[in-house]
Amino acid sequence: MEITEKDALIVVDLQRDFCPGGALPVPGGDEIVPVVNSIIPLFKTVVFTRDWHPPDHMSFSPQPQFKDGSWPVHCVAGTPGAEFHPELKIPPHAIIINKATERDKEAYSGFEGTRLHEILRGRGVKRIFVCGLATDYCVKNTALDGVKLGYEVYLIEDASRGVDFPPGNLKMSLDEMKRAGVKFTSSGELHG
Ligand code: VGL
Ligand code: ZN
C-alpha cells in the first residue's frame, strides 16, 4: 500500500509504563519499537499519543483488576513511567497528544478530549494508520473513534500489542474493530 501526504500515522501510548518493567506492562510491548521506527519515515504526519494522568486519576486502584477501568498507578504526567520508550525515534515534526489528563475522566481514545481531529482535518488527512499499546484498549478506542469521525482507518497489527486480559479480550477487540470497518495491515505492506 502506498502512503501519501493525506495519510497520518498515529502511535498510541508507546510509553515506559506500558512496556516490560513498567507499571502496567503489555506483554512484548517493547518489541514493536523497531517496527514503529521503520515506518515513521513513510509519513508526513506522525502523531504520538501519551497517557498523561494526574497523580490521583480515577482509574488508579489500590487493588487493580487490570480491566474495567481499574489499573495500577501508571503514566503520571512528568514522571519517568510516562516517558516515551527511549528507543523510539520521534521526529522533530511529530505531533504529541496528551490524553486522560483530567482526574475525573477516563479517555482511552486519542481523540477523546483532545485536538487530534481538528489537527488532522486541518492537514487534509483522510486515512489514519493506528498502532501502539494496547491493542485492546487505547489502540482499539482510537481506531473506533477514527471510523466514527469519518476517517479510513487501518490497524497496523505487527506494530501493536495487546494486554489480552481477561484472556480472549484481544481477539474480541480485533473482531469489534473489524465489524466497525477498521481495516488490517502490517508494516511490511506499507511503502512510500
Ligand atoms: C491504557 C489502560 C489504562 C492504554 C491506558 O494505553 O491502552 N490501558 N490506560
Ligand atoms: Zn491510563
Side-chain angles (χ1 to χ4, degrees):
M1 198 176 337
E2 189 184 338
I3 300 302
T4 74
E5 301 216 326
K6 295 199 164 172
D7 297 326
L9 176 65
I10 303 179
V11 182
V12 175
D13 299 2
L14 194 29
Q15 293 163 274
R16 286 181 183 269
D17 268 347
F18 293 126
C19 290
L24 178 38
V26 178
D30 52 349
E31 293 167 9
I32 66 172
V33 173
V35 183
V36 172
N37 282 340
S38 75
I39 55 179
I40 287 171
L42 298 174
F43 292 86
K44 190 175 158 202
T45 297
V46 186
V47 176
F48 294 85
T49 71
R50 56 183 178 187
D51 218 24
W52 201 246
H53 296 313
D56 54 353
H57 190 251
M58 60 175 291
S59 73
F60 298 167
S61 167
Q63 279 153 326
Q65 303 300 300
F66 292 86
K67 58 172 183 144
D68 300 333
S70 168
W71 308 105
V73 174
H74 64 279
C75 296
V76 173
T79 65
E83 288 169 10
F84 290 117
H85 189 286
E87 277 148 47
L88 197 53
K89 293 204 174 79
I90 300 177
H93 60 273
I95 298 160
I96 311 289
I97 298 285
N98 297 335
K99 65 180 178 61
T101 59
E102 288 176 58
R103 188 190 63 182
D104 302 321
K105 279 188 200 144
E106 179 58 294
Y108 290 137
S109 161
F111 289 103
E112 207 176 329
T114 72
R115 296 173 49 105
L116 182 55
H117 182 43
E118 273 176 79
I119 294 169
L120 296 180
R121 198 169 35 186
R123 290 171 165 239
V125 169
K126 305 288 179 216
R127 294 196 301 187
I128 60 174
F129 291 77
V130 184
C131 63
L133 306 174
T135 311
D136 39 358
Y137 288 94
C138 289
V139 172
K140 177 184 86 170
N141 283 276
T142 302
L144 293 177
D145 268 358
V147 171
K148 283 182 204 147
L149 290 166
Y151 297 96
E152 188 177 353
V153 181
Y154 287 85
L155 172 73
I156 312 172
E157 257 193 291
D158 62 327
S160 306
R161 289 290 186 279
V163 177
D164 200 25
F165 184 83
N169 195 53
L170 178 58
K171 166 86 168 57
M172 243 167 51
S173 299
L174 295 172
D175 289 345
E176 192 181 343
M177 285 188 265
K178 219 164 274 175
R179 278 197 305 274
V182 175
K183 294 163 189 168
F184 290 67
T185 188
S186 64
S187 59
E189 290 180 43
L190 310 181
H191 60 85

